[in-house]
Amino acid sequence: MTLPLPPLPPDLAAAPTVVAFGEALARFACQTVRAHGVQVWAVTGGGLVVVGAEGRGLGLCDGTLAARALATGERQEEGMLLALPFGGGVLEFVGAEGTGVAALAGLTPLLTLALEGVQARETRRGRGRVAETVEQLVRRLGGSLDLAEVLTATAESAALSLGFGRAFVALFSEVQEGRARTGEVFSYGFDSAFTGGVGVGPVSFGRLVERGEVIVYDRSRDAASPLAAGLAELDPEVALIAPLRARGRPLGLLYVDSRSAGVRVSEDDTWLVLALAEQASLAIDNARLYGTETRKREAAEALREAGAALASSLHLPDTLSRVLERATLLFGADAAGVYELHPDGRTLSIRAALGLPDEYVLRARAKVGGGVTGRAAQRREMVAARDLPAEGYGGSSRYARALLARGEYPYRGVVSLPLGTRSGVFGVLTLYWTAPLPLGTDDLALAEVFAGQASLAIENARLYEEELRREREAAVLLNVGRLLGEDQSDRALAEAVRLATLALGAGRGLLALMGEGGGVERCATYNLHPPGEADLVSLAGQLGRGPRPLTRRHALPVAGSALIVPLRGGGEGEELLGFLYADDPSTQPPSDRVLALARSVADQMALTLTRERLLSALAREEARYRQLAEGAHDLILSADGTGVITYANPAAVRLLGPLVGASLLTLPAPGSRPALQAAWEAALGGAAGGRAELEVGPYRLEVRLSAVSGPAGGMLAVARDLSELQTLAAEIQRRGRALEAATSRQTELRTYLSLFTQAQEEERRRISRELHDDTAQVLVATSRRVARLARELEGPGRERAQDILEDLNAAIESVRRFARNLRPSVLDDLGLLPALEWLAGQATTETRLEVSGQERRLAPALELTVFRLVQEALTNVDKHAGARSAAIRVAYAPDGVCVTVRDDGQGFTPQQAHARAQAGHLGLIGLRERVALAGGELTLESGPGRGTAVVFTLPG
């Protein structure tokens, strides 16, 4: 279905100007497509500009979609926006209906023809006047690249060509979002000069800067508008304000007005002002570019000269002086100072200054983060204050803050530029002006470049001086090490102290070496009388882990400042070898660099002293080991890496003859050489070394090889003659066999003794039984017969019979006692404890029986052994102890029995016991043997006056 085309309004084709055409077309299109808003764009003056608008929501249109539609020649859509191109123009809709747009799209050929007709009429009408005016301006400028001349000529041409009488040209100094402000104003026809620049509000900014329109003011029409209020000071009747633009950037504005009543502004006047603005924009941009390039060349030349001057010296004071001179000359500063960042990273002090008062230099201590200088150090970027007292930056130091508080601070403009490298800031270059800061943006950028050059020059000078200082310090360390390494005499120590003192920048020095007892053993000084023992002890009490400054109270007399550093050596650096002391009359404490150098010097001294001590100890150990090797019975050889013998001890020479120079690998017989080669390779491959048995001539040697570590390498061989060992082994075997035979005979003796004791006990039992059963019975029967006989006799015969009867009864008792002693029947009938109790009752010495543990019957043989042991012990007590009492203690254990016979007699010593044994008293020996036969242990405790205790422990 074909949509009917809406009729074009008649005022479109008859529009006198492109703007009138655009406004009429915007109203027509907005009604036709029922859009929220319509904006008409047309190509004018080589650019796409808005020539008409209607409705709302046009803030969404930034020209991007219109430019795309014009470039492609096709309709473009983006959200609520739609752009419809026609010839040299574009219709941009906000929220349009699709049917209306489709209907309007059919009119694009007609719209194209209408726009071209209006542009042609406008061109024909204004071409002559505009061309003439622009040509006059071009001739007036004459190709000048002086910006002030260009601006003045533009203002004059605009005022004269329009016949208005007044005009000015102002360039923007600040352009923000929706606002702008001009700097210096170049005027024509005004009674007084402009001051403070001209401000551009949001509405005017949108029309001038954003849309590139010419603002037309007519008092009769715009008296109540915001523009009238803005122009009240100028009080124009009519005015034209045209934008100055170049390369898409706003430059400023051209203002032309008239205060004459009845003056009106025509469309041609608007086009003329716009043409003048365009021509002036080109001239201004060229002048600016020329000025910029000129300034760049001048700045580059100035920077080149500054760089050459700064690089001409690596002496830090000279470099700092040149930096200050070039900075003040290049930027017209009244004073300048280079601040150095302290090692603590919190404060800065003036290292060099030019034009600053002496008191300011001495008292200014900037805090990082405070004031202009402190902020530059903290932020690592340039900080500028155009009027320091008025901007509230505050002072970097307490002194500067006091001056600001009193209103006596001598400077207003201040610029601080950080000096640093990639590793960080090491200082700040600060420039001072007594007037407000005169530098512009380009000058400040140039100042930053200059600060970079200054940073590089200062850092190079610092590195060079640091390298020189390190070379001097290295020379000092080398000389100190050489001195003490060659000689440690008093003269060498004094020279070492002199070198160290001069390197530390001190006036006096002292080197004290400790002895083994911890006290000062040796002392060397420079420019100082040797201090007393009390002063040395006091200094030693100030030692710490490393170098430390000393206050005047702890330093030697007359010193204003001092330092002390310990000399530590040993395996882990814990041994105190001594200390180095240096002082100076100045009260300035030693810096961190001086303390670090003192540590290095002390470490070098300690290293040299430790090395010399180790070398001395090594020489002593080498002499001792050589003495051991010379006196060793084993063969000790050393060989180099190829196997050539370099040393042989006397034992090796005595056994094998001269060996130095011979090959160790070919020394043994051919059959033993593979074993030696294998041991050699094993020693080279592992820490355990190698071992081999070799035949060398008539000898058989056991050789152990150990590799010698070190760059030269080598092998150490220790050999032992196995011939003597074999003889010794044979002797050991012979003696072992003899010992085995003796042990066998001893075992046989013990077996015989055991059998003998057993047979003895059996014989005792038999004799005791025969005495009890035979002899005792015969004596009892005889005593009864004598008793009957005595009853029958009278007188003397009866008395004799009674005597005989008493003798018989005594004999019966003696036989019975003898029988019991041989083999008490109570042991066999009742057990061990009753038998021991019987023994205690039979003993002459008062004896008691004590029992502990769980009582039980033991094996008969064991009970008999215990009985005999106790019996023998009590016999010894009765015969030799002279005791008042004795005790038998029987302690039963799960795995045996422990019996103790203790008396309170006179006791004896081991010598007395040995003497009795030599005299034939074998009681103790018998006890020990009987206990050994039973597999037990016997312990004897005795002493003169302390009695005796016989303890035997038996298993079972």
Side-chain angles (χ1 to χ4, degrees), residues 654-936:
R654 285 194 302 269
L655 188 67
L656 302 177
L659 296 174
V660 175
S663 174
L664 178 62
L665 297 175
T666 59
L667 186 63
S672 300
R673 291 176 184 175
L676 178 59
Q677 185 65 38
W680 183 283
E681 294 174 358
L684 292 177
R691 180 182 177 279
E693 291 189 5
L694 311 175
E695 291 185 1
V696 181
Y699 306 104
R700 184 168 186 83
L701 305 179
E702 180 189 31
V703 180
R704 294 183 180 274
L705 299 178
S706 300
V708 178
S709 59
M715 192 70 65
L716 178 66
V718 179
R720 177 170 296 177
D721 186 3
L722 295 181
S723 303
E724 296 182 0
L725 293 179
Q726 291 175 349
T727 304
L728 181 59
E731 180 63 20
I732 291 174
Q733 291 179 356
R734 185 187 64 78
R735 293 191 179 186
R737 288 193 295 270
L739 179 60
E740 183 179 357
T743 303
S744 176
R745 287 195 296 272
Q746 187 176 11
T747 303
E748 291 175 358
L749 288 175
R750 288 185 178 274
T751 303
Y752 172 74
L753 181 58
S754 177
L755 293 175
F756 177 78
T757 302
Q758 183 178 356
Q760 186 182 43
E761 288 297 332
E762 291 296 332
E763 185 64 21
R764 284 185 173 186
R765 180 185 298 175
R766 185 184 63 78
I767 294 174
S768 175
R769 186 181 301 112
E770 289 181 355
L771 288 176
H772 183 275
D773 295 342
D774 295 338
T775 307
Q777 295 302 325
V778 172
L779 290 175
V780 169
T782 303
S783 65
R784 289 178 179 176
R785 289 173 62 188
V786 172
R788 285 196 301 269
L789 179 61
R791 285 194 300 269
E792 295 175 355
L793 295 176
E794 295 290 343
R798 187 173 184 175
E799 292 178 358
R800 292 184 61 189
Q802 286 294 338
D803 291 338
I804 294 173
L805 181 58
E806 292 176 1
D807 291 338
L808 286 174
N809 288 335
I812 291 171
E813 185 61 29
S814 178
V815 168
R816 287 178 176 173
R817 184 173 61 253
F818 184 67
R820 284 195 300 272
N821 289 337
L822 286 174
R823 182 72 175 192
S825 59
V826 67
L827 179 62
D828 296 327
D829 299 337
L830 302 179
L832 177 61
L833 293 180
L836 295 180
E837 188 174 358
W838 174 78
L839 275 179
Q842 293 295 317
T844 305
T845 304
E846 182 181 353
T847 306
R848 64 185 181 278
L849 176 64
E850 300 174 359
V851 181
S852 63
Q854 184 64 39
E855 298 181 12
R856 66 180 187 277
R857 289 298 300 268
L858 304 176
L862 183 58
E863 288 187 342
L864 176 61
T865 300
V866 173
F867 178 80
R868 292 300 181 194
L869 291 172
V870 174
Q871 185 180 38
E872 181 65 27
L874 288 177
T875 301
N876 290 335
V877 171
D878 290 340
K879 290 182 178 181
H880 309 292
R884 293 190 301 273
S885 63
I888 305 172
R889 294 188 179 92
V890 180
Y892 286 96
D895 56 349
V897 63
C898 179
V899 181
T900 303
V901 179
R902 183 181 297 276
D903 64 71
D904 58 359
Q906 60 186 3
F908 55 86
T909 62
Q911 292 79 9
Q912 292 173 338
H914 181 70
R916 288 181 181 177
Q918 293 293 330
H921 300 283
L922 304 178
L924 292 177
I925 297 177
L927 287 175
R928 197 177 298 278
E929 287 297 327
R930 188 179 287 271
V931 170
L933 288 175

Side-chain angles (χ1 to χ4, degrees), residues 186-198:
F186 294 83
S187 62
Y188 174 81
F190 286 91
D191 297 333
S192 59
F194 282 81
T195 58
V198 176

Side-chain angles (χ1 to χ4, degrees), residues 65 609 720:
L65 194 65
L609 293 173
R720 177 170 296 177

